[in-house]
Amino acid sequence: MQALLLSLALTSSAFAFHEHGQSRKSLSFGPILPHAQFIVNPSSSSLAATTTPGAVDADPRQVAIAFVNELNAQFAQDGHSYWVREDSYTDPASGVSHFYFRQLVRDFEVADGNINVNVYNGKVISYGDSFYKGDAFIFDFDDLSYKHSTSQHTYCDQLGQRYFELQALSFNNGQQTPLVGAQINQMTQIIDANCDTSRHRAQLEKIKAAHKDELRSPAHAALLFMVSASPDASLSREITDNFQTYLSQISVQNEVHFAGSDASGSQFSRSVDYLHNVPGTVSPVKARLAYVQSPTEDGKTELVLVWKLEVEMHNNWYEAAVSLVDPTVIVEVVDWASDAGATPERLGGTYNVWKWGLNDPECGERSIENSPYDEVASPLGWHSLPASKDAKSRNRRYASDHILNVTQTYGNNVYAHEDWEGRNEWLDNYRPDGGKNLNFNYTYDLKTKNGSWADPKSYINTTITQLFYTTNMVHDLYYRYGFDELSGNFQQYNFGKGGKENDAVIANAQDGSGYNNANFMTPPDGQNGRMRMYTWNVHGFPYRDGDLEAGIVIHELSHGLSTRLTGGPADSGCLGWGESGGMGEGWGDFLATTIRSTEDYSDYSMGSWAANETDGIRNYVYSTNMTINPSTYHTLDKGGYWGVHAIGEVWAEILWVVSNKLIKKHGWSSTLFPPVPDANGKVPEDNDFYRPATYDATGKPKRLVPKHGNSLIVQLVLDGMKLQPCRPGFFEARDAIIQADDILTGGENFCLLWKAFAKRGLGVDATVTGRTPWGGGVRKDGHAVPHQCTSDKH
Ligand SMILES: *[C@@H]1O[C@H](CO)[C@@H](O)[C@H](O)[C@H]1NC(C)=O
Ligand SMILES: *[C@@H]1O[C@H](CO)[C@@H](O)[C@H](O)[C@H]1NC(C)=O
Ligand SMILES: *[C@@H]1O[C@H](CO)[C@@H](O)[C@H](O)[C@H]1NC(C)=O
Ligand SMILES: *[C@@H]1O[C@H](CO)[C@@H](O)[C@H](O)[C@H]1NC(C)=O
Ligand SMILES: *[C@@H]1O[C@H](CO)[C@@H](O)[C@H](O)[C@H]1NC(C)=O
Ligand SMILES: *[C@@H]1O[C@H](CO)[C@@H](O)[C@H](O)[C@H]1NC(C)=O
């Protein structure tokens, strides 16, 4: 079986979904926890009685802690505890507090034991819970016979079995149906990307035997992980052949990090090892001991002690769980890389670009845009930042409060530059310089004088200017809808508004490490996000530059948005695989489509300019017309829907349908940017963006509500991301959006939203069973809506 599978070409894709995909190996799997749940409006039983003494102004932190303590009676037992994560925050716009609890069992972190509690007006309005519910047993470090109930091996075995069933089916029928063919094709990609470790099996067993007594060091775990994770087969072989040599080169440095406060209120710290010189990596590997949960056959979960590793490589950034007792076993792995990113004086800039809203060069001409930054989102403009926060100036001597005025394409939100060599180094890469007037005005000629296609390098100045512009616009737009410093956005400097700093987006234009794609790596808050944009050569030569297609850039940047907002800014492992990984793709397509859409309704495709294909690179164009795009929840069961991009396409389509229902009811806003408040922080009353201000009983102004359907859906989608639990499925994400509307508008769109979701199969009676980390399972479309929505009045 392996020989057959391995002989197939590596075709895993990134932004692109079918044939254009460029090969990037990406491991991605882990358990679907059977007990994980998301509950909206938890019933007011004993829980509410103890946690809501009726006080709207009760300390939300105390409310959340009391709630979690009551929810988990097991804390009364020995060995169970938690800590309140430091990245918890109260959203200043919505007033909702988001608390993130991480579980502790016998003082070990349970890395996938999460409770997110959303508190509003002194009450818990929803929560997600994936805490381990079993006994706090003492892990038997010496039980070498321990068998992992789920791991890479069990997932790959299952997948291999299904693969052969399907093969047999298609051979028996004498001919392959297109659907079965598509499914086999996708499974092949997943197998290639995730299951080729077995070629090293024999060597790994040998190393295991030879190193029996010291196997539990983090260096062993990291090195063995690299054997599986390296996309370079010769490096894997090098490591297995010279294991001892590589091991002796690794040096370990330990640091203790403050993590938050635990159940008893005392401070909780985590010990992290930094492993230097691990081959195939580009920065020290971080390792910490933790538990992860593993589903067993009886429907429960057990705890497995692992090394949690953070491994930054050239094309991947992994968070992996490697078994402590048998470090040749990878229990779960998430790739943070996702494919297909007193007001001081500030400086404007002048950019010759395809203006915001124009998706690509075929949608219109370039124009000169003056000072396009949003003053609220970018108080220093796009080109200034404190010298102490500039990655390029760190070693220079400036006063600590010195504000640098940069004349190149970088600033507080993004460092945009060429990366033709496709390297990881970026600080000193070429950036155009707009001079003291910040005038970025360059020529763009798609053809050379003699009529041949121009090498994209010849218009690199235009490309970088466009990438800098689009990335900053996305930063500013998402900021205005609440992706701010506290909730983990990407900025070098946070203006004292909370969250972690030094994490602007690194944007590589015309990145030489690939073609026909794009990708984004999202580490936790406080570390730079990294976006790589490629040129497209589907006609055999590079002739279109993905940097110039705003939809692709927006898709990539939206990975950063959804990853940081789901499950809290410090957890980048919440959208790894399956439905949650798919939605990670879908939000990007949906937001890109919403940003380009116009008042007159139209269907839209993704990537059609870069790929030079009318219908783009997804299976269907986004359309409210069921004939043109028939995707429903049940579509995920079909052949060909085993990858995150296909799953995401269905999610984006459902959101597109929901969005257009809202537009039908509330109309369409010509801009998605809210008006800038005046010096007193007041939005001008005569704006056409928000509904008229309203006030609560105490005379306090309530949160402003976007008036139109397209702006409202953007707000609900972002608010929903903050409410939903780590590793959400479609149901949880839907519920979170409906709850977001409840908080923002008092639930006036409750029935509209349910009806729209139900139209595409996500009604109250939709069901799913048997999901795997990648896809599959059995889904039933549900078209029913809550009983209060069944009358025609709504
Ligand atoms: C940066 O520009 C601002 C606005 O023009 C100006 O007030 C400030 O002095 C400049 N800073 C430096 C270091 O040039
Ligand atoms: C931009 O460049 C074009 C052609 O080089 C020139 O005609 C135009 O005046 C310039 N605009 C600005 C604002 O510099
Ligand atoms: C056209 O010009 C480009 C560079 O401007 C050159 O590389 C190419 O060889 C030329 N082609 C022909 C047919 O002359
Ligand atoms: C980019 O702009 C700079 C400065 O205007 C110029 O020197 C350089 O030749 C340009 N690069 C290309 C490839 O046109
Ligand atoms: C893009 O596609 C059109 C239509 O198929 C074709 O005429 C054109 O030559 C293509 N562009 C390139 C650069 O190949
Ligand atoms: C939906 O699309 C089909 C196929 O293009 C078309 O025949 C039909 O009229 C469309 N329906 C609506 C309501 O526009």
Side-chain angles (χ1 to χ4, degrees), residues 472-538:
N472 272 302
M473 288 298 284
V474 171
H475 166 275
D476 288 4
L477 182 81
Y478 292 173
Y479 190 101
R480 297 301 308 275
Y481 288 82
F483 184 36
D484 53 12
E485 294 86 355
L486 262 180
S487 54
N489 76 350
F490 298 90
Q491 292 177 190
Q492 288 299 109
Y493 174 55
N494 281 357
F495 306 95
K497 294 176 186 165
K500 294 239 158 85
E501 309 186 303
N502 297 311
D503 63 352
V505 170
I506 296 163
N508 295 348
Q510 297 182 0
D511 192 290
S513 65
Y515 285 113
N516 305 337
N517 220 320
N519 55 53
F520 196 94
M521 301 192 190
T522 318
D525 196 21
Q527 300 178 61
N528 297 100
R530 185 169 303 205
M531 176 164 67
R532 291 187 295 189
M533 300 300 302
Y534 300 142
T535 54
W536 291 61
N537 66 353
V538 287

Side-chain angles (χ1 to χ4, degrees), residues 330-539:
I330 305 172
V331 181
E332 63 173 56
V333 56
V334 178
D335 192 351
W336 289 341
S338 298
D339 305 307
T343 317
E345 283 278 326
R346 56 190 151 242
L347 299 169
T350 302
Y351 314 86
N352 189 352
V353 285
W354 285 276
K355 191 182 153 123
W356 184 246
L358 294 179
N359 188 65
D360 58 68
E362 266 167 23
C363 294
E365 293 299 317
R366 288 190 299 161
S367 54
I368 302 285
E369 297 301 307
N370 282 309
S371 306
Y373 63 83
D374 181 281
E375 291 168 38
V376 177
S378 295
L380 290 173
W382 288 350
H383 292 273
S384 299
L385 73 172
S388 58
K389 300 293 172 191
D390 174 23
K392 286 174 66 66
S393 304
R394 256 177 215 144
N395 300 325
R396 302 199 195 135
R397 284 160 196 265
Y398 283 116
S400 61
D401 58 352
H402 181 92
I403 302 287
L404 272 184
N405 294 325
V406 177
T407 57
Q408 298 179 354
T409 46
Y410 82 86
N412 202 33
N413 310 326
V414 55
Y415 288 77
H417 40 251
E418 140 293 311
D419 191 21
W420 291 331
E421 306 290 323
R423 297 177 315 159
N424 252 53
E425 289 72 32
W426 54 274
L427 271 179
D428 299 321
N429 290 23
Y430 173 73
R431 301 181 180 91
D433 193 321
K436 68 177 187 330
N437 295 327
L438 296 176
N439 188 355
F440 297 86
N441 181 13
Y442 303 103
T443 53
Y444 172 68
D445 294 308
L446 203 47
K447 297 251 173 113
T448 63
K449 288 203 181 74
N450 61 24
S452 63
W453 293 103
D455 180 345
K457 287 181 180 170
S458 68
Y459 46 82
I460 187 69
N461 288 322
T462 298
T463 286
I464 299 172
T465 300
Q466 187 71 37
L467 185 62
F468 177 78
Y469 169 81
T470 307
T471 303
N472 272 302
M473 288 298 284
V474 171
H475 166 275
D476 288 4
L477 182 81
Y478 292 173
Y479 190 101
R480 297 301 308 275
Y481 288 82
F483 184 36
D484 53 12
E485 294 86 355
L486 262 180
S487 54
N489 76 350
F490 298 90
Q491 292 177 190
Q492 288 299 109
Y493 174 55
N494 281 357
F495 306 95
K497 294 176 186 165
K500 294 239 158 85
E501 309 186 303
N502 297 311
D503 63 352
V505 170
I506 296 163
N508 295 348
Q510 297 182 0
D511 192 290
S513 65
Y515 285 113
N516 305 337
N517 220 320
N519 55 53
F520 196 94
M521 301 192 190
T522 318
D525 196 21
Q527 300 178 61
N528 297 100
R530 185 169 303 205
M531 176 164 67
R532 291 187 295 189
M533 300 300 302
Y534 300 142
T535 54
W536 291 61
N537 66 353
V538 287
H539 294 280

